[in-house]
Amino acid sequence: MKDIFCRIIEGEIPSNKVYEDDDVIAILDISQLTKGHTLVIPKEHYDNMLSCPKELLHKVIDVAQRIGQACVSVLGAKGVNILTNVNEIAGQSVPHFHVHVIPRYVAGEGGFQLTMKPQDISDLNLPMLAEEIKKEIK
Ligand code: 5GP
């Protein structure tokens, strides 16, 4: 079964389009975490950012940057969160790669709170951990 973004891209389901070219569309998120919350989506289906080919990924990120800039200059956002969720455990609910552009106006405002609370790392060997990741990077 087609995911909801494939259906939006094919015009089966309406959306509020912010941007479109041959490879990428951007639409207002149906749940506006803050005013102007936009999703940048490659037209070709990839499940998430990790499986998206680099050239297409770069196009998506380029559009996300430009929408972030527009949110600052036109909507008066004071900042922007640009993020993507990979897989359900990380909060991904639609299995079609997309990047959220979330304009920020006032600290703590709206339905979006990003708090990063470090875990206890006393049992982690950071140099070994860095090596483990480093050797697997392709
Ligand atoms: P995720 O949780 O996968 O990172 O983000 C998926 C986003 O898609 C959610 O923020 C959700 O509000 C949005 N969304 C889900 N269905 C639709 C839809 O039919 N139209 C639009 N514009 N956004 C949708």
Side-chain angles (χ1 to χ4, degrees):
M1 207 179 79
K2 275 187 281 186
D3 65 74
I4 193 93
F5 293 163
C6 281
R7 296 179 66 197
I8 287 173
I9 289 158
E10 289 171 19
E12 278 176 34
I13 292 179
S15 64
N16 292 288
K17 246 175 242 172
V18 168
Y19 176 88
E20 181 165 20
D21 64 27
D22 289 346
D23 304 304
V24 178
I25 66 163
I27 59 173
L28 289 182
D29 194 305
I30 204 161
S31 321
Q32 291 280 287
L33 294 183
T34 61
K35 187 179 74 179
H37 176 189
T38 299
L39 302 171
V40 186
I41 309 168
K43 288 185 174 176
E44 198 169 337
H45 178 100
Y46 292 95
D47 288 346
N48 58 53
M49 182 185 160
L50 302 188
S51 57
C52 182
K54 280 199 194 336
E55 197 183 327
L56 183 56
L57 173 63
H58 295 167
K59 289 178 181 171
V60 170
I61 296 299
D62 172 69
V63 174
Q65 182 195 43
R66 290 155 64 197
I67 290 169
Q69 289 165 342
C71 290
V72 170
S73 63
V74 173
L75 299 182
K78 303 285 183 291
V80 187
N81 289 101
I82 296 177
L83 62 92
T84 188
N85 299 320
V86 175
N87 292 342
E88 221 174 302
I89 190 138
Q92 185 177 7
S93 59
V94 179
H96 181 133
F97 173 41
H98 54 282
V99 170
H100 293 260
V101 179
I102 306 167
R104 306 302 299 269
Y105 302 94
V106 176
E109 179 214 29
F112 181 68
Q113 310 289 327
L114 184 65
T115 47
M116 296 199 187
K117 195 165 161 237
Q119 60 172 323
D120 177 12
I121 57 158
S122 51
D123 61 341
L124 288 180
N125 181 328
L126 294 188
M128 269 178 64
L129 182 60
E131 277 307 314
E132 204 179 337
I133 298 168
K134 196 159 116 185
K135 69 174 191 269
E136 275 308 304
I137 294 177
K138 296 179 175 74

mmCIF file of all heavy atoms in Angstrom, residues 9-51:
data_model
loop_
_atom_site.group_PDB
_atom_site.id
_atom_site.type_symbol
_atom_site.label_atom_id
_atom_site.label_comp_id
_atom_site.label_asym_id
_atom_site.label_seq_id
_atom_site.Cartn_x
_atom_site.Cartn_y
_atom_site.Cartn_z
ATOM 1 N N ILE A 9 2.048 13.251 -3.227
ATOM 2 C CA ILE A 9 2.915 13.557 -4.382
ATOM 3 C C ILE A 9 2.169 13.263 -5.685
ATOM 4 O O ILE A 9 2.266 14.030 -6.650
ATOM 5 C CB ILE A 9 4.236 12.750 -4.275
ATOM 6 C CG1 ILE A 9 5.096 13.313 -3.139
ATOM 7 C CG2 ILE A 9 5.009 12.756 -5.604
ATOM 8 C CD1 ILE A 9 6.124 12.347 -2.592
ATOM 9 N N GLU A 10 1.408 12.189 -5.698
ATOM 10 C CA GLU A 10 0.655 11.830 -6.914
ATOM 11 C C GLU A 10 -0.637 12.613 -7.063
ATOM 12 O O GLU A 10 -1.384 12.422 -8.025
ATOM 13 C CB GLU A 10 0.394 10.314 -6.918
ATOM 14 C CG GLU A 10 1.677 9.534 -7.182
ATOM 15 C CD GLU A 10 1.525 8.031 -6.991
ATOM 16 O OE1 GLU A 10 0.381 7.541 -7.004
ATOM 17 O OE2 GLU A 10 2.566 7.371 -6.819
ATOM 18 N N GLY A 11 -0.915 13.502 -6.103
ATOM 19 C CA GLY A 11 -2.088 14.377 -6.216
ATOM 20 C C GLY A 11 -3.396 13.720 -5.809
ATOM 21 O O GLY A 11 -4.466 14.289 -6.002
ATOM 22 N N GLU A 12 -3.298 12.533 -5.200
ATOM 23 C CA GLU A 12 -4.522 11.845 -4.758
ATOM 24 C C GLU A 12 -5.115 12.502 -3.520
ATOM 25 O O GLU A 12 -6.301 12.410 -3.262
ATOM 26 C CB GLU A 12 -4.193 10.388 -4.363
ATOM 27 C CG GLU A 12 -4.100 9.422 -5.499
ATOM 28 C CD GLU A 12 -3.680 8.039 -4.989
ATOM 29 O OE1 GLU A 12 -4.062 7.645 -3.871
ATOM 30 O OE2 GLU A 12 -2.935 7.368 -5.725
ATOM 31 N N ILE A 13 -4.213 13.107 -2.739
ATOM 32 C CA ILE A 13 -4.641 13.737 -1.485
ATOM 33 C C ILE A 13 -4.165 15.187 -1.531
ATOM 34 O O ILE A 13 -3.016 15.444 -1.916
ATOM 35 C CB ILE A 13 -4.011 12.999 -0.276
ATOM 36 C CG1 ILE A 13 -4.608 11.602 -0.182
ATOM 37 C CG2 ILE A 13 -4.207 13.761 1.022
ATOM 38 C CD1 ILE A 13 -4.045 10.777 0.945
ATOM 39 N N PRO A 14 -5.018 16.137 -1.176
ATOM 40 C CA PRO A 14 -4.599 17.542 -1.251
ATOM 41 C C PRO A 14 -3.577 17.910 -0.170
ATOM 42 O O PRO A 14 -3.495 17.249 0.868
ATOM 43 C CB PRO A 14 -5.908 18.313 -1.033
ATOM 44 C CG PRO A 14 -6.824 17.363 -0.356
ATOM 45 C CD PRO A 14 -6.400 15.974 -0.714
ATOM 46 N N SER A 15 -2.809 18.949 -0.479
ATOM 47 C CA SER A 15 -1.842 19.448 0.511
ATOM 48 C C SER A 15 -1.621 20.923 0.232
ATOM 49 O O SER A 15 -1.967 21.419 -0.840
ATOM 50 C CB SER A 15 -0.512 18.693 0.385
ATOM 51 O OG SER A 15 0.071 18.964 -0.881
ATOM 52 N N ASN A 16 -1.035 21.589 1.190
ATOM 53 C CA ASN A 16 -0.677 22.996 1.004
ATOM 54 C C ASN A 16 0.793 23.041 0.617
ATOM 55 O O ASN A 16 1.678 22.951 1.474
ATOM 56 C CB ASN A 16 -0.945 23.781 2.289
ATOM 57 C CG ASN A 16 -2.427 23.869 2.569
ATOM 58 O OD1 ASN A 16 -3.154 24.578 1.882
ATOM 59 N ND2 ASN A 16 -2.899 23.115 3.549
ATOM 60 N N LYS A 17 1.030 23.181 -0.694
ATOM 61 C CA LYS A 17 2.387 23.115 -1.222
ATOM 62 C C LYS A 17 3.130 24.428 -1.038
ATOM 63 O O LYS A 17 2.631 25.494 -1.358
ATOM 64 C CB LYS A 17 2.333 22.787 -2.711
ATOM 65 C CG LYS A 17 2.917 21.447 -3.046
ATOM 66 C CD LYS A 17 2.723 21.112 -4.505
ATOM 67 C CE LYS A 17 1.866 19.861 -4.638
ATOM 68 N NZ LYS A 17 1.466 19.549 -5.993
ATOM 69 N N VAL A 18 4.346 24.311 -0.539
ATOM 70 C CA VAL A 18 5.212 25.463 -0.323
ATOM 71 C C VAL A 18 6.243 25.535 -1.451
ATOM 72 O O VAL A 18 6.710 26.612 -1.828
ATOM 73 C CB VAL A 18 5.920 25.299 1.046
ATOM 74 C CG1 VAL A 18 7.040 26.281 1.232
ATOM 75 C CG2 VAL A 18 4.904 25.399 2.178
ATOM 76 N N TYR A 19 6.601 24.363 -1.983
ATOM 77 C CA TYR A 19 7.681 24.286 -2.969
ATOM 78 C C TYR A 19 7.514 22.995 -3.766
ATOM 79 O O TYR A 19 7.071 21.986 -3.233
ATOM 80 C CB TYR A 19 9.039 24.260 -2.248
ATOM 81 C CG TYR A 19 10.214 24.080 -3.173
ATOM 82 C CD1 TYR A 19 10.844 25.170 -3.763
ATOM 83 C CD2 TYR A 19 10.679 22.799 -3.485
ATOM 84 C CE1 TYR A 19 11.909 24.997 -4.650
ATOM 85 C CE2 TYR A 19 11.742 22.612 -4.358
ATOM 86 C CZ TYR A 19 12.344 23.720 -4.932
ATOM 87 O OH TYR A 19 13.384 23.543 -5.807
ATOM 88 N N GLU A 20 7.912 23.045 -5.049
ATOM 89 C CA GLU A 20 7.938 21.809 -5.838
ATOM 90 C C GLU A 20 8.939 21.952 -6.981
ATOM 91 O O GLU A 20 9.007 22.992 -7.645
ATOM 92 C CB GLU A 20 6.545 21.509 -6.423
ATOM 93 C CG GLU A 20 6.529 20.224 -7.231
ATOM 94 C CD GLU A 20 5.128 19.700 -7.532
ATOM 95 O OE1 GLU A 20 4.157 20.488 -7.450
ATOM 96 O OE2 GLU A 20 5.016 18.501 -7.849
ATOM 97 N N ASP A 21 9.735 20.912 -7.198
ATOM 98 C CA ASP A 21 10.542 20.809 -8.423
ATOM 99 C C ASP A 21 10.456 19.356 -8.888
ATOM 100 O O ASP A 21 9.591 18.600 -8.417
ATOM 101 C CB ASP A 21 11.984 21.321 -8.215
ATOM 102 C CG ASP A 21 12.778 20.497 -7.200
ATOM 103 O OD1 ASP A 21 12.480 19.289 -7.034
ATOM 104 O OD2 ASP A 21 13.707 21.037 -6.578
ATOM 105 N N ASP A 22 11.340 18.938 -9.801
ATOM 106 C CA ASP A 22 11.228 17.575 -10.347
ATOM 107 C C ASP A 22 11.443 16.485 -9.290
ATOM 108 O O ASP A 22 10.931 15.374 -9.424
ATOM 109 C CB ASP A 22 12.279 17.356 -11.457
ATOM 110 C CG ASP A 22 11.922 18.145 -12.707
ATOM 111 O OD1 ASP A 22 10.770 18.625 -12.792
ATOM 112 O OD2 ASP A 22 12.794 18.298 -13.582
ATOM 113 N N ASP A 23 12.220 16.794 -8.264
ATOM 114 C CA ASP A 23 12.647 15.754 -7.313
ATOM 115 C C ASP A 23 12.061 15.893 -5.909
ATOM 116 O O ASP A 23 12.053 14.925 -5.146
ATOM 117 C CB ASP A 23 14.183 15.788 -7.170
ATOM 118 C CG ASP A 23 14.861 15.627 -8.509
ATOM 119 O OD1 ASP A 23 14.587 14.617 -9.182
ATOM 120 O OD2 ASP A 23 15.633 16.527 -8.902
ATOM 121 N N VAL A 24 11.646 17.101 -5.566
ATOM 122 C CA VAL A 24 11.320 17.396 -4.165
ATOM 123 C C VAL A 24 10.015 18.189 -4.084
ATOM 124 O O VAL A 24 9.762 19.051 -4.930
ATOM 125 C CB VAL A 24 12.462 18.257 -3.541
ATOM 126 C CG1 VAL A 24 12.151 18.627 -2.100
ATOM 127 C CG2 VAL A 24 13.809 17.532 -3.624
ATOM 128 N N ILE A 25 9.198 17.873 -3.063
ATOM 129 C CA ILE A 25 8.114 18.804 -2.742
ATOM 130 C C ILE A 25 8.225 19.185 -1.271
ATOM 131 O O ILE A 25 8.839 18.467 -0.470
ATOM 132 C CB ILE A 25 6.691 18.245 -3.003
ATOM 133 C CG1 ILE A 25 6.362 17.078 -2.068
ATOM 134 C CG2 ILE A 25 6.466 17.903 -4.454
ATOM 135 C CD1 ILE A 25 4.885 16.791 -2.004
ATOM 136 N N ALA A 26 7.625 20.318 -0.938
ATOM 137 C CA ALA A 26 7.529 20.720 0.458
ATOM 138 C C ALA A 26 6.093 21.149 0.702
ATOM 139 O O ALA A 26 5.501 21.875 -0.113
ATOM 140 C CB ALA A 26 8.497 21.854 0.756
ATOM 141 N N ILE A 27 5.527 20.657 1.799
ATOM 142 C CA ILE A 27 4.121 20.945 2.126
ATOM 143 C C ILE A 27 4.023 21.352 3.588
ATOM 144 O O ILE A 27 4.854 20.958 4.412
ATOM 145 C CB ILE A 27 3.221 19.706 1.896
ATOM 146 C CG1 ILE A 27 3.686 18.509 2.758
ATOM 147 C CG2 ILE A 27 3.200 19.327 0.412
ATOM 148 C CD1 ILE A 27 2.745 17.304 2.722
ATOM 149 N N LEU A 28 2.997 22.124 3.887
ATOM 150 C CA LEU A 28 2.753 22.424 5.300
ATOM 151 C C LEU A 28 2.334 21.146 6.010
ATOM 152 O O LEU A 28 1.518 20.371 5.484
ATOM 153 C CB LEU A 28 1.640 23.470 5.439
ATOM 154 C CG LEU A 28 1.984 24.892 5.009
ATOM 155 C CD1 LEU A 28 0.781 25.809 5.253
ATOM 156 C CD2 LEU A 28 3.220 25.434 5.727
ATOM 157 N N ASP A 29 2.928 20.904 7.168
ATOM 158 C CA ASP A 29 2.512 19.755 7.983
ATOM 159 C C ASP A 29 1.067 19.974 8.428
ATOM 160 O O ASP A 29 0.702 21.086 8.832
ATOM 161 C CB ASP A 29 3.446 19.607 9.197
ATOM 162 C CG ASP A 29 3.289 18.263 9.882
ATOM 163 O OD1 ASP A 29 2.154 17.899 10.268
ATOM 164 O OD2 ASP A 29 4.301 17.555 10.040
ATOM 165 N N ILE A 30 0.270 18.909 8.336
ATOM 166 C CA ILE A 30 -1.136 19.017 8.721
ATOM 167 C C ILE A 30 -1.269 19.359 10.212
ATOM 168 O O ILE A 30 -2.229 20.003 10.625
ATOM 169 C CB ILE A 30 -1.897 17.720 8.348
ATOM 170 C CG1 ILE A 30 -3.368 17.990 8.191
ATOM 171 C CG2 ILE A 30 -1.613 16.588 9.309
ATOM 172 C CD1 ILE A 30 -4.100 16.900 7.401
ATOM 173 N N SER A 31 -0.309 18.931 11.019
ATOM 174 C CA SER A 31 -0.279 19.323 12.438
ATOM 175 C C SER A 31 0.805 20.380 12.579
ATOM 176 O O SER A 31 1.981 20.029 12.569
ATOM 177 C CB SER A 31 0.079 18.157 13.352
ATOM 178 O OG SER A 31 -0.514 16.979 12.923
ATOM 179 N N GLN A 32 0.420 21.608 12.688
ATOM 180 C CA GLN A 32 1.389 22.712 12.767
ATOM 181 C C GLN A 32 1.953 22.799 14.189
ATOM 182 O O GLN A 32 1.307 23.356 15.090
ATOM 183 C CB GLN A 32 0.696 24.031 12.377
ATOM 184 C CG GLN A 32 0.314 24.107 10.911
ATOM 185 C CD GLN A 32 1.509 24.472 10.049
ATOM 186 O OE1 GLN A 32 1.966 25.605 10.048
ATOM 187 N NE2 GLN A 32 2.037 23.497 9.315
ATOM 188 N N LEU A 33 3.152 22.243 14.383
ATOM 189 C CA LEU A 33 3.758 22.333 15.715
ATOM 190 C C LEU A 33 4.005 23.792 16.067
ATOM 191 O O LEU A 33 3.848 24.212 17.215
ATOM 192 C CB LEU A 33 5.066 21.546 15.762
ATOM 193 C CG LEU A 33 4.948 20.033 15.593
ATOM 194 C CD1 LEU A 33 6.295 19.365 15.728
ATOM 195 C CD2 LEU A 33 3.959 19.447 16.605
ATOM 196 N N THR A 34 4.415 24.567 15.053
ATOM 197 C CA THR A 34 4.458 26.024 15.152
ATOM 198 C C THR A 34 4.034 26.542 13.776
ATOM 199 O O THR A 34 3.985 25.774 12.810
ATOM 200 C CB THR A 34 5.876 26.550 15.481
ATOM 201 O OG1 THR A 34 6.752 26.163 14.418
ATOM 202 C CG2 THR A 34 6.405 26.026 16.801
ATOM 203 N N LYS A 35 3.747 27.839 13.702
ATOM 204 C CA LYS A 35 3.268 28.414 12.435
ATOM 205 C C LYS A 35 4.315 28.273 11.327
ATOM 206 O O LYS A 35 5.438 28.747 11.479
ATOM 207 C CB LYS A 35 2.936 29.903 12.651
ATOM 208 C CG LYS A 35 2.286 30.558 11.458
ATOM 209 C CD LYS A 35 1.958 32.017 11.713
ATOM 210 C CE LYS A 35 3.200 32.883 11.689
ATOM 211 N NZ LYS A 35 2.932 34.292 11.898
ATOM 212 N N GLY A 36 3.940 27.584 10.257
ATOM 213 C CA GLY A 36 4.858 27.419 9.125
ATOM 214 C C GLY A 36 5.577 26.077 9.109
ATOM 215 O O GLY A 36 6.383 25.821 8.210
ATOM 216 N N HIS A 37 5.274 25.219 10.058
ATOM 217 C CA HIS A 37 5.899 23.880 10.129
ATOM 218 C C HIS A 37 5.723 23.175 8.772
ATOM 219 O O HIS A 37 4.606 22.939 8.318
ATOM 220 C CB HIS A 37 5.230 23.093 11.258
ATOM 221 C CG HIS A 37 5.684 21.672 11.414
ATOM 222 N ND1 HIS A 37 5.063 20.803 12.256
ATOM 223 C CD2 HIS A 37 6.696 20.973 10.840
ATOM 224 C CE1 HIS A 37 5.658 19.621 12.209
ATOM 225 N NE2 HIS A 37 6.655 19.704 11.345
ATOM 226 N N THR A 38 6.848 22.873 8.138
ATOM 227 C CA THR A 38 6.849 22.373 6.756
ATOM 228 C C THR A 38 7.593 21.037 6.676
ATOM 229 O O THR A 38 8.559 20.807 7.410
ATOM 230 C CB THR A 38 7.544 23.416 5.844
ATOM 231 O OG1 THR A 38 6.790 24.629 5.905
ATOM 232 C CG2 THR A 38 7.620 22.961 4.401
ATOM 233 N N LEU A 39 7.125 20.184 5.764
ATOM 234 C CA LEU A 39 7.796 18.907 5.516
ATOM 235 C C LEU A 39 8.423 18.948 4.126
ATOM 236 O O LEU A 39 7.740 19.283 3.156
ATOM 237 C CB LEU A 39 6.779 17.765 5.562
ATOM 238 C CG LEU A 39 5.994 17.615 6.866
ATOM 239 C CD1 LEU A 39 4.876 16.588 6.681
ATOM 240 C CD2 LEU A 39 6.912 17.208 8.013
ATOM 241 N N VAL A 40 9.690 18.619 4.028
ATOM 242 C CA VAL A 40 10.385 18.560 2.745
ATOM 243 C C VAL A 40 10.541 17.079 2.400
ATOM 244 O O VAL A 40 11.102 16.299 3.190
ATOM 245 C CB VAL A 40 11.760 19.252 2.826
ATOM 246 C CG1 VAL A 40 12.396 19.311 1.442
ATOM 247 C CG2 VAL A 40 11.623 20.654 3.412
ATOM 248 N N ILE A 41 10.042 16.702 1.215
ATOM 249 C CA ILE A 41 9.870 15.271 0.901
ATOM 250 C C ILE A 41 10.409 14.965 -0.497
ATOM 251 O O ILE A 41 10.019 15.633 -1.458
ATOM 252 C CB ILE A 41 8.360 14.910 0.940
ATOM 253 C CG1 ILE A 41 7.708 15.394 2.235
ATOM 254 C CG2 ILE A 41 8.148 13.420 0.740
ATOM 255 C CD1 ILE A 41 6.174 15.337 2.224
ATOM 256 N N PRO A 42 11.291 13.969 -0.634
ATOM 257 C CA PRO A 42 11.688 13.569 -1.991
ATOM 258 C C PRO A 42 10.525 12.870 -2.669
ATOM 259 O O PRO A 42 9.785 12.124 -2.029
ATOM 260 C CB PRO A 42 12.855 12.593 -1.751
ATOM 261 C CG PRO A 42 12.632 12.052 -0.387
ATOM 262 C CD PRO A 42 11.924 13.121 0.404
ATOM 263 N N LYS A 43 10.362 13.114 -3.976
ATOM 264 C CA LYS A 43 9.232 12.493 -4.680
ATOM 265 C C LYS A 43 9.420 10.987 -4.806
ATOM 266 O O LYS A 43 8.464 10.224 -4.732
ATOM 267 C CB LYS A 43 9.073 13.136 -6.057
ATOM 268 C CG LYS A 43 8.519 14.550 -5.970
ATOM 269 C CD LYS A 43 8.265 15.125 -7.343
ATOM 270 C CE LYS A 43 7.583 16.479 -7.226
ATOM 271 N NZ LYS A 43 7.398 17.124 -8.538
ATOM 272 N N GLU A 44 10.674 10.580 -5.010
ATOM 273 C CA GLU A 44 10.939 9.145 -5.082
ATOM 274 C C GLU A 44 10.889 8.577 -3.668
ATOM 275 O O GLU A 44 11.399 9.201 -2.729
ATOM 276 C CB GLU A 44 12.316 8.918 -5.703
ATOM 277 C CG GLU A 44 12.510 7.521 -6.223
ATOM 278 C CD GLU A 44 13.770 7.399 -7.077
ATOM 279 O OE1 GLU A 44 14.247 8.415 -7.619
ATOM 280 O OE2 GLU A 44 14.274 6.284 -7.176
ATOM 281 N N HIS A 45 10.280 7.403 -3.540
ATOM 282 C CA HIS A 45 10.108 6.858 -2.193
ATOM 283 C C HIS A 45 11.401 6.240 -1.630
ATOM 284 O O HIS A 45 11.969 5.323 -2.231
ATOM 285 C CB HIS A 45 9.016 5.777 -2.165
ATOM 286 C CG HIS A 45 8.857 5.169 -0.804
ATOM 287 N ND1 HIS A 45 7.861 5.533 0.070
ATOM 288 C CD2 HIS A 45 9.628 4.267 -0.132
ATOM 289 C CE1 HIS A 45 8.013 4.866 1.198
ATOM 290 N NE2 HIS A 45 9.077 4.092 1.106
ATOM 291 N N TYR A 46 11.819 6.735 -0.495
ATOM 292 C CA TYR A 46 12.839 6.066 0.332
ATOM 293 C C TYR A 46 12.276 6.057 1.738
ATOM 294 O O TYR A 46 11.647 7.034 2.167
ATOM 295 C CB TYR A 46 14.188 6.795 0.261
ATOM 296 C CG TYR A 46 14.785 6.655 -1.119
ATOM 297 C CD1 TYR A 46 14.599 7.647 -2.077
ATOM 298 C CD2 TYR A 46 15.454 5.494 -1.485
ATOM 299 C CE1 TYR A 46 15.082 7.481 -3.375
ATOM 300 C CE2 TYR A 46 15.943 5.325 -2.770
ATOM 301 C CZ TYR A 46 15.752 6.322 -3.707
ATOM 302 O OH TYR A 46 16.211 6.135 -4.980
ATOM 303 N N ASP A 47 12.517 4.968 2.447
ATOM 304 C CA ASP A 47 11.886 4.822 3.754
ATOM 305 C C ASP A 47 12.322 5.881 4.745
ATOM 306 O O ASP A 47 11.536 6.327 5.582
ATOM 307 C CB ASP A 47 12.209 3.441 4.358
ATOM 308 C CG ASP A 47 11.463 2.321 3.647
ATOM 309 O OD1 ASP A 47 10.522 2.621 2.884
ATOM 310 O OD2 ASP A 47 11.843 1.154 3.854
ATOM 311 N N ASN A 48 13.583 6.251 4.665
ATOM 312 C CA ASN A 48 14.088 7.226 5.635
ATOM 313 C C ASN A 48 15.401 7.814 5.119
ATOM 314 O O ASN A 48 15.886 7.435 4.047
ATOM 315 C CB ASN A 48 14.270 6.592 7.023
ATOM 316 C CG ASN A 48 15.211 5.409 6.994
ATOM 317 O OD1 ASN A 48 16.340 5.518 6.511
ATOM 318 N ND2 ASN A 48 14.767 4.261 7.480
ATOM 319 N N MET A 49 15.975 8.723 5.887
ATOM 320 C CA MET A 49 17.184 9.425 5.460
ATOM 321 C C MET A 49 18.358 8.482 5.214
ATOM 322 O O MET A 49 19.183 8.711 4.326
ATOM 323 C CB MET A 49 17.587 10.442 6.526
ATOM 324 C CG MET A 49 18.795 11.252 6.171
ATOM 325 S SD MET A 49 19.248 12.301 7.554
ATOM 326 C CE MET A 49 20.934 12.634 7.140
ATOM 327 N N LEU A 50 18.429 7.406 5.991
ATOM 328 C CA LEU A 50 19.583 6.510 5.887
ATOM 329 C C LEU A 50 19.611 5.748 4.569
ATOM 330 O O LEU A 50 20.673 5.324 4.120
ATOM 331 C CB LEU A 50 19.610 5.524 7.062
ATOM 332 C CG LEU A 50 19.660 6.131 8.462
ATOM 333 C CD1 LEU A 50 19.888 5.039 9.501
ATOM 334 C CD2 LEU A 50 20.725 7.204 8.587
ATOM 335 N N SER A 51 18.452 5.579 3.949
ATOM 336 C CA SER A 51 18.419 4.823 2.691
ATOM 337 C C SER A 51 18.312 5.731 1.463
ATOM 338 O O SER A 51 18.276 5.256 0.334
ATOM 339 C CB SER A 51 17.258 3.824 2.708
ATOM 340 O OG SER A 51 16.042 4.495 2.932
#
